[in-house]
Amino acid sequence: MLLALVWLWLCWSLIALGGGFTMKNVFLIVASGIIVFVPLWKKYIRHDNNQ
């Protein structure tokens, strides 16, 4: 939960201080979300049939 709050705060900072909604900022937000949350989802949430 804390990681999500920090990520949201950083995204808000990027938009507020980085020039608003541009394609570069949207790409950075999406890419950082994938980098941060996909490994956590794979480790803690996804249910494999192998286990």
Side-chain angles (χ1 to χ4, degrees):
M1 181 69 166
L2 180 63
L3 181 63
L5 290 174
V6 170
W7 181 78
L8 286 172
W9 175 70
L10 289 172
C11 291
W12 175 82
S13 298
L14 177 67
I15 292 171
L17 302 174
F21 284 104
T22 62
M23 288 304 293
K24 179 184 174 186
N25 289 348
V26 171
F27 174 75
L28 289 174
I29 290 169
V30 170
S32 67
I34 290 170
I35 291 170
V36 170
F37 292 112
V38 168
L40 292 174
W41 176 76
K42 284 183 177 181
K43 184 173 183 178
Y44 294 113
I45 297 174
R46 184 178 67 178
H47 300 287
D48 288 334
N49 292 332
N50 298 336
Q51 293 180 350

